[in-house]
Amino acid sequence: MDLPSQTSEITRSKKEMALLNVSLCTKIPPKPHLSLTKPSLSIPHLPSLSFSHCDKPQVHQALIPNKQLVEDFAKTGFLAILSVSLFFTDPALAFKGGGPYGSEVTRGQDLTGKDFSGRTLIKQDFKTSILRQANFKGAKLLGASFFDADLTGADLSDADLRSADFSLANVTKANLSNANLEGALATGNTSFRGSNITGADFTDVPLREDQREYLCKFADGVNPTTGNATRDTLLCN
């Protein structure tokens, strides 16, 4: 092959390679363009982080405490402080009764000589209280509790003591004249030594045998409310 022919062949080969290169570049899709910026993190795509006037109430709503909760918390704290102050100032107020036992008289307190005469104290709680010389004359004490209370010298005359609890109570030298004790509890070491029981009604009171025998020695009178004789209610022979 002569020199011009070789030169022509080389030129044609170069053209064919150039065309092949162009063809390959157009058929193969280009790689995705990698941008240095991240559109997903741009502010326009995150409306929740916007600080516009409309979004401010929503952003701060969770941070603002509920006004009612704050007021309730303040009231609770005030009542707690008040209760503690009453406890150290006046024990009688700190242990104020409630529920089925009323709200005026406390339990476990020294109520010596206190006047309860003629009052309605149904289911009142006097448990473990000191009630020496207390005046309960004519009081309504149905279901009241005198459990382990000291009623030495107390005036219980004409009182309605039906279903009252005198378990372990000290009722010595008390005035029980004309009192109605139907169904009252007097279990344990309840003592009525030296008490005036003239006209008292002890119907269905579970007395110890030694207490019954003792009371029968001076039992007398008839209860003006029930019409029952004291000796009969004590089952005296």
Side-chain angles (χ1 to χ4, degrees):
M1 182 178 294
D2 56 3
L3 181 59
S5 299
Q6 292 180 352
T7 302
S8 176
E9 184 68 26
I10 292 172
T11 302
R12 187 176 61 183
S13 297
K14 289 181 178 181
K15 289 182 180 180
E16 290 178 354
M17 290 298 293
L19 291 174
L20 178 61
N21 185 35
V22 172
S23 176
L24 290 174
C25 291
T26 56
K27 291 181 179 179
I28 299 175
K31 295 183 179 179
H33 178 68
L34 297 178
S35 175
L36 295 178
T37 61
K38 296 182 179 180
S40 60
L41 297 179
S42 61
I43 292 177
H45 290 82
L46 295 175
S48 60
L49 297 179
S50 174
F51 294 96
S52 65
H53 177 72
C54 296
D55 292 336
K56 286 182 180 179
Q58 296 179 358
V59 172
H60 294 290
Q61 186 65 33
L63 302 177
I64 300 176
N66 186 279
K67 184 178 180 181
Q68 184 63 39
L69 291 177
V70 173
E71 292 179 355
D72 291 344
F73 181 78
K75 291 179 181 178
T76 302
F78 173 75
L79 292 176
I81 295 173
L82 180 62
S83 299
V84 172
S85 63
L86 289 176
F87 177 82
F88 288 103
T89 304
D90 189 347
L93 292 176
F95 290 93
K96 202 165 187 179
Y101 298 115
S103 59
E104 295 183 7
V105 181
T106 60
R107 58 184 287 182
Q109 301 300 312
D110 187 349
L111 302 171
T112 300
K114 190 170 179 62
D115 186 7
F116 298 103
S117 59
R119 296 182 62 179
T120 299
L121 300 167
I122 297 173
K123 292 186 178 181
Q124 195 69 43
D125 189 1
F126 293 98
K127 290 186 182 77
T128 69
S129 292
I130 300 174
L131 298 161
R132 296 181 181 182
Q133 289 80 46
N135 185 4
F136 290 99
K137 182 179 178 64
K140 295 182 179 179
L141 294 157
L142 286 81
S145 178
F146 294 99
F147 180 87
D148 199 24
D150 187 355
L151 288 157
T152 302
D155 187 356
L156 295 161
S157 60
D158 302 304
D160 188 347
L161 295 163
R162 287 175 293 171
S163 301
D165 186 1
F166 289 98
S167 300
L168 303 178
N170 183 4
V171 201
T172 59
K173 299 180 181 180
N175 184 2
L176 290 165
S177 59
N178 298 325
N180 185 2
L181 293 91
E182 289 181 297
L185 295 177
T187 58
N189 295 323
T190 304
S191 176
F192 292 96
R193 292 278 173 177
S195 295
N196 179 3
I197 62 169
T198 301
D201 191 334
F202 286 89
T203 300
D204 296 328
V205 177
L207 293 168
R208 296 196 319 268
E209 190 58 30
D210 61 319
Q211 283 282 4
R212 187 187 307 281
E213 291 178 357
Y214 169 79
L215 293 175
C216 283
K217 291 179 180 179
F218 50 88
D220 194 16
V222 176
N223 187 274
T225 302
T226 64
N228 296 326
T230 301
R231 291 185 62 81
D232 292 342
T233 61
L234 286 169
L235 304 178
C236 300
N237 295 326

